[in-house]
Amino acid sequence: MRFRIRPVETSFYDLFTEMANHLVEGANLLAQMLDSGTDKNALGDLMREAEHQADETTHKIIKRANTTFITPFDREDIYRLASSLDDVMDFMEETVDLVGLYELGELPADFAPQVEVLQRATQLTADAMPRLRTMKDLDEYWIEINRLENQGDRSYRRIVANLFSGSYKSLEVLKLKDVVDSLEHAIDALESVANTVEQIAVKES
Amino acid sequence: MRFRIRPVETSFYDLFTEMANHLVEGANLLAQMLDSGTDKNALGDLMREAEHQADETTHKIIKRANTTFITPFDREDIYRLASSLDDVMDFMEETVDLVGLYELGELPADFAPQVEVLQRATQLTADAMPRLRTMKDLDEYWIEINRLENQGDRSYRRIVANLFSGSYKSLEVLKLKDVVDSLEHAIDALESVANTVEQIAVKES
Amino acid sequence: MRFRIRPVETSFYDLFTEMANHLVEGANLLAQMLDSGTDKNALGDLMREAEHQADETTHKIIKRANTTFITPFDREDIYRLASSLDDVMDFMEETVDLVGLYELGELPADFAPQVEVLQRATQLTADAMPRLRTMKDLDEYWIEINRLENQGDRSYRRIVANLFSGSYKSLEVLKLKDVVDSLEHAIDALESVANTVEQIAVKES
């Protein structure tokens, strides 16, 4: 629709894909956290490193948006997308951090479905980012993310109902609820990324 | 202000009104949930059905926005309004779902003012939707919603203070707090609908 | 970038500065709340008064935006900035209100760093508002706010870990967690103010 008098800066797509790949890595680290044999301290270091790299990528995107004359889509939407991707990482890092801070040992087995949703949703997001270039075939991405978010919602409520069932000590309930809330926020943030992509696609189409 | 070369698609107003009417129904179902004689399972089914219908209406709005050349206001604002109305329903459905999942019996009597605020605010929202057509007489709507949200806030804090007063067992406190948080989020979401309407009215005026 | 055919209404900058000064006062009242000798009731009255004045300023800004033909930046951005500043005050007022409602006595000493972050961040915000006029030298403001928010995040998690450590009774944990959550939301809201300012600056530059 918009007239373009010179080639747009295309490397934004690469940076968004790079960003989403950090999220894939973060979700994989969360999956390892559920394994009983994992060294929690080493895992915490890897997660902080992934979060740091995601921050670097975010800054690269913002800097490039500020210095590029013609951006592939609205400058404001570039910020919104970058910052919503960054939120996902922050919540995943928070999850691992809380497990350490609260000195939690094994996490309950029923946390696994939440982490699987995160793994699947981050992978879908990474696969979708290169498609921003053509704005084509993005529908299936956000429909599937919305479906996953609904599925995550249901498993979240089951986990919490189980935490409240009387099998855990009071403080344990509070600690575990904080951890599962973080996972839930990470999933919500991925839905918010998908909504942002949808809005950009609608505007640009 | 904007030039229009052909009649705009007006049925958006009807769909937004339809959507808000689902919310009125949801709030009435919540009011029934407070009655001691209510069959909680049957109520849960009715709420899920209302939530499902609201989803259908949301999809109708989005599909129409995507396929209509001239929308009555910005396409993005149509999405934002539809999605903020949908949020209200999701929180109301969550409330009923949690009551079931946590196997809560009677809810404390002091939850009633929260539900009354929801009933009043959903009705005001349904009454306001047809006025989007002319963008007239909307001030009183959002002023009253803001007043109701403040009132809801005060009763929310009183309910929580009472939950924390020592009259309930630890797990009961956590369960009931989750339920009243859901009600509070539904009220906040109605305020967010009103803010969206206000921003649209300002833009279009 | 935009052509201006008559002088813009400049007093918006003064009103935003006035608003941010209410926030500075709110943060100072919170600092007093941590002092053991403070009369909590008198403090609550002062906080409600500060919140009331912030509301008045918000209404002045909105009314002026509605009646001014040429605003210094987009009308919608004026609303967003006013409303995000107002959110900060609401959370600070909530903090004091909860301390009263929950009949909490002394707050734990480790709450102090959160309040110090609020004092520093509100002061930075008040210093930045007049710079909206030229949109210059705002980078350091939002970078520093983001740094403070990160610092606040870390101290928030330490406080919560300490609340969950077993030194407090169950209900005391819940009450204190609500209070520190309010402080945390106020800090997040100040980051959201900074993000709004950044987006406005990017648009207008």
Side-chain angles (χ1 to χ4, degrees):
Chain A
M1 210 74 140
R2 287 191 300 163
F3 231 68
R4 280 166 182 155
I5 47 166
R6 39 167 137 162
V8 298
E9 175 63 72
T10 53
S11 59
F12 280 105
Y13 310 114
D14 298 328
L15 287 173
F16 281 122
T17 306
E18 182 181 311
M19 186 70 187
N21 281 328
H22 294 313
L23 302 186
V24 171
E25 196 200 338
N28 290 339
L29 291 171
L30 286 174
Q32 288 173 38
M33 189 180 68
L34 292 178
D35 287 345
S36 55
T38 311
D39 174 349
K40 293 272 184 357
N41 287 330
L43 191 88
D45 289 342
L46 288 171
M47 191 54 128
R48 267 182 293 278
E49 176 57 27
E51 197 263 339
H52 181 70
Q53 285 180 11
D55 272 352
E56 300 266 299
T57 308
T58 308
H59 291 144
K60 266 194 267 177
I61 294 171
I62 289 175
K63 210 179 153 187
R64 187 156 305 170
N66 284 341
T67 54
T68 302
F69 187 61
I70 301 184
T71 51
F73 38 89
D74 278 356
R75 203 165 259 108
E76 294 159 74
D77 287 327
I78 291 176
Y79 294 117
R80 275 175 60 216
L81 183 54
S83 112
S84 64
L85 286 162
D86 198 48
D87 287 346
V88 179
M89 188 50 117
D90 287 348
F91 286 121
M92 295 200 295
E93 192 270 330
E94 182 186 66
T95 308
V96 172
D97 196 35
L98 293 180
V99 169
L101 268 170
Y102 296 166
E103 300 177 357
L104 288 163
E106 291 294 279
L107 294 178
D110 63 0
F111 278 39
Q114 286 294 84
V115 174
E116 281 155 25
V117 164
L118 271 175
Q119 288 186 283
R120 180 101 189 90
T122 50
Q123 190 58 59
L124 281 169
T125 306
D127 294 346
M129 289 300 112
R131 299 207 295 276
L132 286 172
R133 194 184 296 267
T134 56
M135 294 287 172
K136 291 220 169 81
D137 304 317
L138 285 163
D139 300 46
E140 56 197 85
Y141 151 67
W142 63 65
I143 290 169
E144 179 63 7
I145 292 284
N146 276 286
R147 200 193 60 74
L148 282 169
E149 196 275 335
N150 278 330
Q151 180 184 320
D153 235 37
R154 282 191 302 276
S155 79
Y156 167 76
R157 294 185 199 173
R158 269 198 307 274
I159 295 169
V160 175
N162 193 34
L163 288 179
F164 289 176
S165 67
S167 330
Y168 296 90
K169 285 190 204 143
S170 225
L171 285 174
E172 205 72 5
V173 173
L174 294 175
K175 291 175 182 180
L176 290 169
K177 175 124 195 308
D178 257 18
V179 172
V180 77
D181 279 350
S182 264
L183 290 173
E184 175 69 2
H185 291 150
I187 296 172
D188 287 348
L190 281 159
E191 193 188 25
S192 164
V193 168
N195 290 342
T196 303
V197 168
E198 185 175 6
Q199 284 158 15
I200 294 172
V202 166
K203 249 200 211 172
E204 302 293 319
S205 67
Chain B
M1 210 76 138
R2 288 189 298 161
F3 231 68
R4 279 165 182 155
I5 48 169
R6 36 167 139 164
V8 297
E9 174 64 73
T10 53
S11 60
F12 280 104
Y13 310 114
D14 298 330
L15 287 172
F16 281 123
T17 306
E18 181 180 312
M19 186 69 189
N21 282 327
H22 294 313
L23 303 186
V24 171
E25 196 200 340
N28 289 339
L29 290 171
L30 287 174
Q32 287 174 40
M33 187 180 69
L34 293 179
D35 285 346
S36 55
T38 311
D39 174 348
K40 293 271 183 358
N41 287 330
L43 191 88
D45 289 341
L46 288 172
M47 191 54 129
R48 267 181 294 278
E49 177 56 27
E51 196 263 339
H52 181 70
Q53 285 180 10
D55 272 352
E56 301 266 299
T57 308
T58 306
H59 291 143
K60 266 194 267 178
I61 293 171
I62 289 174
K63 209 178 153 189
R64 186 156 305 170
N66 284 341
T67 56
T68 302
F69 186 61
I70 301 185
T71 51
F73 38 89
D74 277 357
R75 203 166 258 106
E76 295 158 74
D77 287 327
I78 291 176
Y79 295 117
R80 275 175 60 216
L81 183 54
S83 114
S84 64
L85 285 161
D86 199 48
D87 288 345
V88 179
M89 189 49 118
D90 287 348
F91 286 121
M92 294 199 296
E93 192 271 330
E94 183 186 66
T95 307
V96 172
D97 196 36
L98 293 179
V99 170
L101 269 171
Y102 297 166
E103 301 178 358
L104 289 163
E106 291 294 277
L107 294 178
D110 63 1
F111 278 39
Q114 287 293 84
V115 174
E116 281 155 25
V117 164
L118 272 174
Q119 287 186 285
R120 180 100 188 91
T122 50
Q123 191 58 58
L124 280 170
T125 306
D127 294 346
M129 290 299 112
R131 299 208 294 276
L132 287 172
R133 194 185 297 267
T134 56
M135 295 288 171
K136 290 223 169 79
D137 305 316
L138 286 163
D139 301 45
E140 58 198 85
Y141 151 65
W142 62 66
I143 290 170
E144 180 62 8
I145 291 285
N146 276 286
R147 200 193 59 75
L148 281 168
E149 196 274 336
N150 279 330
Q151 181 184 321
D153 235 38
R154 281 191 303 273
S155 80
Y156 168 75
R157 294 185 199 173
R158 267 197 309 274
I159 295 170
V160 176
N162 193 34
L163 288 178
F164 289 176
S165 67
S167 329
Y168 297 90
K169 285 189 205 144
S170 224
L171 285 174
E172 205 72 4
V173 173
L174 294 175
K175 291 175 181 179
L176 291 169
K177 175 126 197 303
D178 257 18
V179 172
V180 77
D181 279 350
S182 264
L183 290 172
E184 175 69 2
H185 291 150
I187 296 172
D188 287 346
L190 280 160
E191 193 188 24
S192 165
V193 168
N195 290 342
T196 303
V197 168
E198 184 176 7
Q199 284 158 15
I200 294 171
V202 164
K203 250 200 211 172
E204 302 293 319
S205 68
Chain C
M1 209 76 139
R2 287 191 298 163
F3 231 67
R4 278 164 182 157
I5 48 168
R6 38 168 139 163
V8 299
E9 175 63 71
T10 53
S11 58
F12 280 105
Y13 310 114
D14 298 329
L15 286 172
F16 281 124
T17 306
E18 181 180 312
M19 187 69 188
N21 282 328
H22 293 314
L23 302 186
V24 171
E25 196 199 337
N28 290 338
L29 290 171
L30 286 174
Q32 289 173 37
M33 187 181 70
L34 293 178
D35 287 345
S36 56
T38 312
D39 174 348
K40 292 274 187 347
N41 287 330
L43 191 88
D45 289 342
L46 288 172
M47 191 56 129
R48 268 182 293 280
E49 177 57 26
E51 198 262 339
H52 181 68
Q53 285 180 8
D55 272 352
E56 301 267 298
T57 307
T58 306
H59 291 144
K60 265 194 267 176
I61 294 171
I62 290 175
K63 210 177 153 190
R64 186 157 306 171
N66 284 342
T67 55
T68 301
F69 187 61
I70 302 184
T71 51
F73 37 90
D74 278 358
R75 203 166 258 106
E76 295 159 74
D77 288 326
I78 291 175
Y79 295 117
R80 276 175 60 217
L81 183 55
S83 113
S84 64
L85 285 162
D86 199 47
D87 287 346
V88 179
M89 187 51 116
D90 287 349
F91 287 121
M92 294 199 295
E93 192 270 331
E94 182 186 66
T95 308
V96 171
D97 197 35
L98 293 180
V99 170
L101 268 169
Y102 297 165
E103 300 177 359
L104 289 162
E106 290 294 278
L107 294 178
D110 63 0
F111 278 39
Q114 286 296 82
V115 175
E116 281 156 25
V117 164
L118 272 174
Q119 288 186 285
R120 180 101 188 91
T122 50
Q123 190 58 58
L124 280 169
T125 307
D127 294 345
M129 290 300 113
R131 299 208 293 277
L132 287 172
R133 193 185 297 265
T134 56
M135 295 288 172
K136 290 221 170 81
D137 305 317
L138 285 163
D139 299 46
E140 58 198 84
Y141 151 66
W142 63 66
I143 290 170
E144 180 62 8
I145 292 285
N146 275 286
R147 200 192 60 74
L148 281 169
E149 195 275 336
N150 278 330
Q151 181 185 321
D153 236 36
R154 282 191 302 276
S155 80
Y156 168 75
R157 294 185 199 173
R158 267 197 309 275
I159 295 170
V160 176
N162 192 36
L163 288 178
F164 289 177
S165 68
S167 331
Y168 297 90
K169 284 189 203 143
S170 228
L171 285 174
E172 204 72 5
V173 173
L174 294 175
K175 291 174 182 180
L176 290 170
K177 175 123 195 307
D178 257 18
V179 171
V180 76
D181 278 350
S182 265
L183 290 174
E184 176 68 1
H185 291 150
I187 296 172
D188 287 347
L190 280 160
E191 192 187 25
S192 165
V193 168
N195 290 342
T196 303
V197 168
E198 184 175 9
Q199 284 158 15
I200 294 172
V202 165
K203 250 201 211 171
E204 302 294 319
S205 67

